[in-house]
């Protein structure tokens, strides 16, 4: 590191235009044109005007020649060349930062983040992020736009696939794990990349799940639901933060000093770099809070946006604003200094190539160990939603028909697959053939995973395969292009042709007495009653990543257990959305979820989900005993602040196989100054037991676990009675055990955004 004094000296030599360029992030295409494979840019003031939409930005060649960061590229050779060409013509020799979206892997792709949420395993998330960082850094990247810490309860929103589910607490554990995995112990380590948590904050609350639409979030839900994962990422040391495209209390995040300065930096203690989302500074104009690009720059700077991604309000506007006294030079300097500090932490002033190394890239990218890790992760994320004994498939089966579009499909990566390629994936039928032999597996897709029409010839082939089989694997799901950014849907169900195909397959299989296991590929909770009502088993594979085909075969054949549990409730109908485990009690509670008289709920349907948070079956069965609590209350005489009650439960494997269950702890605060959720998910332990084996699992509950935002928005606990519940899902819980929190400890209150 060159250190603070050297960075400040550098800053003092920068012109206003150079500062504005340093705070600008551009797509790599700009550099191709200006640096032309190593040739110096002219550095002049001519408007750089490539064809296509990039031309609209009216970026000057001088801005490209002094720009601070590059978006959307990877490859050691290419980025080394780009850095060298840039530095060769740069006046101040400040290296470029290379940033891109490595969301769930670079070339070795892991399950989508929502699926990783299903692992309930911070260690797994950390190791996937570490592998992603190793590949990314060797390929020349310095920053990844991950983890996404958004909170969402609406499967209509395409980006729910990038969340880790509906528990703010679990989201925090996984966000922190991802940050630690990406950043390692030291950003200067050539296998580390800096993590950019996003999108701060509230993007997942878009109304109706409509992409980029308005949000209306109370301060309570902002703090209790949306901020915890960001706070955990800050505490884990996230180096960057990206403000959301959307509004918080009417103000776009990129123009909100309250959000970015008071809350993010002031309350949450974030000291890193903020980078706008793609074009979000210019979008202050259509949002209707800035009249022109100058005003957009003025507002974003005042709010505390350090880097402007892919719009040119800073590049063309900051210097004139400074001249006109409409921008505070100290705020410009503070933004640029933060960018320079990040470059220094990455060691770029000493080695501008950081980890970019063609030999290492060749050795690590999609190496056997990473592919094996992807296979292992995928199996750990798969959720067995229903099973009547159809799974695992019996080894004696002679002929298996794998039907449906995902029989032969290789698009298993999901949204934001970065450098991942479909051709790296093995489709499910092929994975089964490799295991069982080609003569035992017959595949017939029947239709495409996109919403295209059912092909009658394809359907006939499917039905012929079903009739000739001993068992059927029905592989269906949404298409990855229907998930992720700009992929919101009103109807998160299987496309109609696949529903028709599933019906026909299930009818034919029932007539022939053949068991059907359905495998569902999805990036969001889907409403699929037609599958779980009628198929003998339903395995949720999500978008499982590079080795997801092999992993699904491992699970279907029983070599691996389906270890995932739902991190988000699966609704029974679209009209129930949002549906989640931590509902508030209501003044008119309903025991069965129906509004039979004047109770909360609907007349025509329960408000309970089809599959609850935490749900997931195993290939064996477990019995949970009644939980007990070791003491009636916190505190007792002479105790310190670290005192706890312990809730424990005996869990036994009552089935025929060794297996794992996820023992879950939920809490309820019975009376408080604000209405508290019926269930708050606050603990879990994965237990692996042999048949007949029993283990006692204990959860420690201390006072900080009981804190919440009270009626004055202070983050405190309130004395009173609490209930603890234990079970294998939010829908299968023990009777409560009670304990109390007594008044009287002076060190209980804590302020802040947590
Ligand atoms: C997305 C961000 C992403 C950025 C850069 C935007 O459209 O909202 O999540 O990091 O593009 O690719």
């Amino acid at each position: 590191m060159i250190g603070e004094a050297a960075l400040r000296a550098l800053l003092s030599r920068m012109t206003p235009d150079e500062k504005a360029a340093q705070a600008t992030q551009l797509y790599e295409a700009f550099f191709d044109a200006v640096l032309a494979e190593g040739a110096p840019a002219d550095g002049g003031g001519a408007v750089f005007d490539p064809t296509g939409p990039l031309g609209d930005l009216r970026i000057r060649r001088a801005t490209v020649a002094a720009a601070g960061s590059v978006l959307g590229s990877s490859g050691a050779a290419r980025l080394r060349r780009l850095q060298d060409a840039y530095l060769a013509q740069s006046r101040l020799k400040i290296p470029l930062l290379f940033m891109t979206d490595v969301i769930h892997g670079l070339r070795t792709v892991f399950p989508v983040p929502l699926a990783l949420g299903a692992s309930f395993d911070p260690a797994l998330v950390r190791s996937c992020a570490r592998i992603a960082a190793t590949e990314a850094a060797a390929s020349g990247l310095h920053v990844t736009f991950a983890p996404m810490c958004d909170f969402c309860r609406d499967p209509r929103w395409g980006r729910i696939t990038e969340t880790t589910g509906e528990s703010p607490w679990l989201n925090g554990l996984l966000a922190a794990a991802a940050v630690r995995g990406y950043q390692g112990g030291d950003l200067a380590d050539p296998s580390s990349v800096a993590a950019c948590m996003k999108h701060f904050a509230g993007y997942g609350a878009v109304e109706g799940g409509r992409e980029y639409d308005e949000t209306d979030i109370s301060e309570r839900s902002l703090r209790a639901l949306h901020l915890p994962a960001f706070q955990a990422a800050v505490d884990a040391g996230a180096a960057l933060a990206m403000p959301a495209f959307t509004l918080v209390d009417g103000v776009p995040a990129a123009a909100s000093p309250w959000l970015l300065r008071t809350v993010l930096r002031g309350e949450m203690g974030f000291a890193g770099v903020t980078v706008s989302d793609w074009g979000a500074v210019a979008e202050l104009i259509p949002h209707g809070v800035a009249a022109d690009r100058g005003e957009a720059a003025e507002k974003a700077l005042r709010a505390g946006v350090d880097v402007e991604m892919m719009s040119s309000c800073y590049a063309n506007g900051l210097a004139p604003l400074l001249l006109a006294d409409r921008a505070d030079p100290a705020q410009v300097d503070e933004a640029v200094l933060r960018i320079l500090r990040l470059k220094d932490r990455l060691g770029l002033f000493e080695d501008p190539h950081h980890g970019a190394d063609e030999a290492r890239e060749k050795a690590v990218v999609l190496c056997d160990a990473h592919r094996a890790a992807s296979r292992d992760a995928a199996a750990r994320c798969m959720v067995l939603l229903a099973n009547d004994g159809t799974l695992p498939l019996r080894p004696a089966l002679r002929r298996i028909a794998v039907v449906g579009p995902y029989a032969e499909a290789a698009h298993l990566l999901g949204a934001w697959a970065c450098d991942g390629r479909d051709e790296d994936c093995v489709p499910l039928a092929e994975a089964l053939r490799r295991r069982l032999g080609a003569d035992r597996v017959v595949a017939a897709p029947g239709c495409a995973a996109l919403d295209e029409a059912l092909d009658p010839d394809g359907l006939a082939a499917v039905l012929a395969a079903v009739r000739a089989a001993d068992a059927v694997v029905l592989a269906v799901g949404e298409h990855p292009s229907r998930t992720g950014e700009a992929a919101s849907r009103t109807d998160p169900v299987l496309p109609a042709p696949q529903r028709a195909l599933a019906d026909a397959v299930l009818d034919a299989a029932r007539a022939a007495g053949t068991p059907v296991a359905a495998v569902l590929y999805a990036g969001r909770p889907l409403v699929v009653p037609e599958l779980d009502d009628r198929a003998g088993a339903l395995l949720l594979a999500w978008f499982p990543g590079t080795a997801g085909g092999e992993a699904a075969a491992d699970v279907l054949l029983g070599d691996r257990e389906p270890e995932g549990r739902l991190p988000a409730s699966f609704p029974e109908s679209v009209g129930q959305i949002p549906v989640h485990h931590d509902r508030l009690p209501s003044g008119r509670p309903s025991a069965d979820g129906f509004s039979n008289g004047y109770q909360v709920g609907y007349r025509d349907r329960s408000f309970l989900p089809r599959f609850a948070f935490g749900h997931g079956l195993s290939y064996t069965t477990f019995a949970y005993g009644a939980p007990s609590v070791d003491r009636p209350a916190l505190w007792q005489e002479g105790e310190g602040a670290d005192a706890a009650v312990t809730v424990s439960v005996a869990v036994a494997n009552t089935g025929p196989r060794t297996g794992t269950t996820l023992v879950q702890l939920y809490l309820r605060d019975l009376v408080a100054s604000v209405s508290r959720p019926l269930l708050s998910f606050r603990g879990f332990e994965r237990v692996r037991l042999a048949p007949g084996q029993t283990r006692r699992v204990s959860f420690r509950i201390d006072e900080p676990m009981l804190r919440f935002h009270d009626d004055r928005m202070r983050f405190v606990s309130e004395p009173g009675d609490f209930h603890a519940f234990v079970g294998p899902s939010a829908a299968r819980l023990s009777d409560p055990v009670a304990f109390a929190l007594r008044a009287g400890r002076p060190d209980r209150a804590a302020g802040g955004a947590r």
Side-chain angles (χ1 to χ4, degrees):
M1 301 220 306
I2 61 171
E4 188 71 11
L7 296 176
R8 285 183 185 273
L10 195 51
L11 179 70
S12 69
R13 293 173 55 210
M14 293 173 82
T15 65
D17 267 334
E18 282 169 336
K19 290 177 184 171
Q22 188 60 219
T24 298
Q25 174 163 158
L26 296 172
Y27 205 57
E28 56 165 326
F30 285 96
F31 298 85
D32 283 341
V34 172
L35 304 178
E37 296 299 324
D42 64 10
V47 170
F48 174 61
D49 201 8
T51 51
L54 299 185
D56 298 343
L57 295 181
R58 311 203 66 73
I59 291 286
R60 290 169 299 140
R61 298 181 76 84
T63 301
V64 180
S69 50
V70 184
L71 163 74
S73 191
S74 63
R78 170 166 172 65
L79 295 188
R80 287 182 75 95
R81 245 193 342 263
L82 181 52
Q83 187 75 286
D84 288 341
Y86 172 86
L87 287 174
Q89 54 80 57
S90 154
R91 187 178 81 89
L92 294 168
K93 310 284 176 226
I94 302 172
L96 283 167
L97 268 178
F98 295 122
M99 313 197 186
T100 204
D101 296 273
V102 184
I103 306 297
H104 49 120
L106 183 92
R107 176 78 182 269
T108 307
V109 179
F110 295 99
V112 290
L114 186 59
L116 284 169
S119 73
F120 285 74
D121 189 346
L124 177 73
V125 167
R126 183 173 178 161
S127 72
C128 293
R130 191 70 214 143
I131 288 174
T134 306
E135 293 194 3
S139 303
L141 290 163
H142 306 138
V143 174
T144 175
F145 297 121
M148 176 159 127
C149 299
D150 288 302
F151 175 80
C152 175
R153 289 168 164 171
D154 194 330
R156 291 172 295 184
W157 192 44
R159 301 197 83 165
I160 196 171
T161 196
E162 297 174 64
T163 72
T164 50
E166 71 188 34
S167 161
W169 176 68
L170 179 65
N171 291 344
L173 295 182
L174 300 182
V179 169
R180 295 198 176 99
Y182 288 127
Q183 298 195 163
D186 180 3
L187 282 188
D189 183 321
S191 63
S192 289
V193 293
C196 177
M197 60 181 195
K198 67 186 187 186
H199 307 84
F200 194 78
Y203 184 9
V206 281
E207 274 189 1
R210 285 183 298 276
E211 185 63 300
Y212 312 129
D213 208 350
E214 64 187 274
T215 57
D216 189 5
I217 312 166
S218 69
E219 185 176 349
R220 177 170 310 287
S221 52
L222 181 73
R223 292 186 182 281
L225 304 176
H226 294 268
L227 296 189
F230 288 100
Q231 182 70 64
V234 171
D235 294 347
L240 300 96
M242 182 188 291
F245 286 128
T246 41
L247 313 175
V248 173
D249 198 17
V251 182
S256 172
W258 177 76
L259 190 69
L260 301 186
R261 291 191 188 271
T262 309
V263 176
L264 179 63
R265 294 197 185 277
E267 294 180 16
M268 296 173 68
F270 176 72
V273 172
T274 54
V275 47
S276 85
D277 204 342
W278 182 293
V281 177
E283 287 175 21
L284 298 180
I285 303 168
H287 266 305
V289 301
D292 53 31
R293 292 184 189 199
E295 192 179 0
E298 190 181 340
K299 288 203 160 181
L301 180 73
R302 197 174 307 134
V305 174
D306 299 333
V307 178
E308 178 186 14
M309 181 198 293
M310 285 305 290
S311 53
S312 49
C313 307
Y314 282 4
N316 298 332
L318 274 190
L321 285 177
L322 284 168
L323 269 180
D325 268 351
R326 281 173 58 197
D328 178 350
Q331 287 186 347
V332 176
D333 282 0
E334 123 198 321
V336 174
L337 193 56
R338 280 197 284 257
I339 299 163
L340 298 181
R341 283 189 192 126
L342 175 61
K343 293 183 174 186
D344 198 28
R345 283 183 68 199
L346 283 155
L348 296 184
F349 290 102
E350 284 103 345
D351 176 7
H353 298 304
H354 187 60
D357 178 327
E358 285 174 79
R360 191 164 46 231
E361 181 182 39
K362 218 162 170 228
V364 300
V365 169
L366 197 59
C367 62
D368 290 348
H370 291 181
R371 201 180 166 100
S374 156
R375 183 169 176 167
D376 173 58
R380 291 213 227 170
C381 296
M382 290 186 188
V383 185
L384 185 61
L385 294 173
N387 191 17
D388 63 1
T390 298
L391 288 180
L393 296 171
R394 283 175 293 115
L397 293 169
R398 281 170 301 114
R399 208 173 162 77
I400 298 175
V402 189
V403 299
Y406 276 94
E408 305 268 32
H411 41 71
L412 307 181
L413 303 179
W416 293 108
C418 202
D419 289 357
R421 299 183 191 163
D422 287 356
E423 61 263 33
D424 297 335
C425 300
V426 179
L428 180 56
E430 177 57 20
L432 285 166
R433 268 186 221 115
R434 289 184 190 174
R435 299 290 305 282
L436 300 173
D439 51 329
R440 289 175 63 195
V441 179
V442 176
C447 64
L450 279 172
D451 330 349
E452 290 157 14
L454 191 57
D455 148 32
D457 293 343
L459 178 61
V462 165
L463 296 180
V466 167
R467 291 191 186 108
D470 301 318
V472 176
V473 174
L474 172 62
V476 290
E478 57 182 348
H479 191 273
S481 66
R482 297 281 189 268
T483 69
E485 187 176 355
S488 290
R489 296 168 55 189
T490 56
D491 220 7
V493 298
L494 279 182
Q498 292 193 57
R499 292 205 301 275
L501 178 86
D503 273 347
V505 166
L506 289 160
D507 287 346
R510 174 178 293 174
T514 311
V516 178
V519 181
L520 180 63
Y521 292 81
R524 51 156 64 82
L526 285 179
V527 180
V528 284
E530 63 278 10
L531 295 183
D532 67 89
D533 266 353
R534 298 189 57 208
L538 175 56
L539 177 69
L540 173 62
W542 307 102
F543 287 114
T546 307
E550 297 97 308
D554 293 340
V555 172
L556 291 173
L557 296 172
D559 297 345
R560 291 292 305 257
E561 267 212 294
E563 286 181 36
R565 301 294 183 261
L566 289 182
S569 307
F570 267 48
E572 190 168 80
S573 80
V574 176
Q576 280 183 323
I577 294 169
V579 56
H580 49 93
H581 70 285
D582 46 357
R583 40 177 304 114
L584 299 177
S586 161
R588 296 187 169 193
S590 158
D592 59 2
F594 279 93
S595 178
N596 297 314
Y598 286 88
Q599 296 98 353
V600 57
Y602 307 106
R603 283 277 171 166
D604 60 339
R605 191 185 283 282
S606 161
F607 58 60
L608 298 173
R610 183 69 164 199
F611 296 113
F613 177 86
H615 171 71
L617 303 173
S618 157
Y619 284 153
T620 186
T621 50
F622 293 91
Y624 283 58
S628 59
V629 61
D630 66 336
R631 56 203 298 206
L634 282 177
W635 319 87
Q636 288 169 13
E637 273 310 306
E639 277 184 338
D642 57 350
V645 290
T646 301
V647 170
S648 60
V649 66
V651 180
N653 181 344
T654 51
R657 295 169 52 116
T658 295
T660 58
T661 181
L662 189 79
V663 186
Q664 300 165 34
L665 171 77
Y666 296 81
L667 297 180
R668 179 175 179 197
D669 185 345
L670 298 186
V671 180
S673 57
V674 297
S675 182
R676 302 284 297 130
L678 290 166
L679 298 174
S680 296
F681 176 60
R682 284 315 306 262
F684 59 93
E685 188 171 329
R686 190 177 296 282
V687 182
R688 186 169 172 79
L689 296 174
Q693 199 184 353
T694 299
R695 183 165 320 150
R696 208 161 180 89
V697 175
S698 298
F699 295 103
R700 201 177 167 277
I701 303 167
D702 57 11
E703 181 275 328
M705 280 173 69
L706 306 177
R707 294 180 190 173
F708 65 99
H709 296 92
D710 73 358
D711 54 352
R712 287 193 277 159
M713 215 53 80
R714 297 169 310 179
F715 192 65
V716 294
S717 61
E718 291 177 358
D721 293 325
F722 292 81
H723 279 169
F725 307 79
V726 179
S729 84
R732 287 180 54 213
L733 293 176
S734 64
D735 288 338
V737 285
F739 65 94
L741 176 69
R742 295 200 183 113
R745 282 210 62 93
D747 52 355
R748 254 207 322 274
R754 289 158 200 246

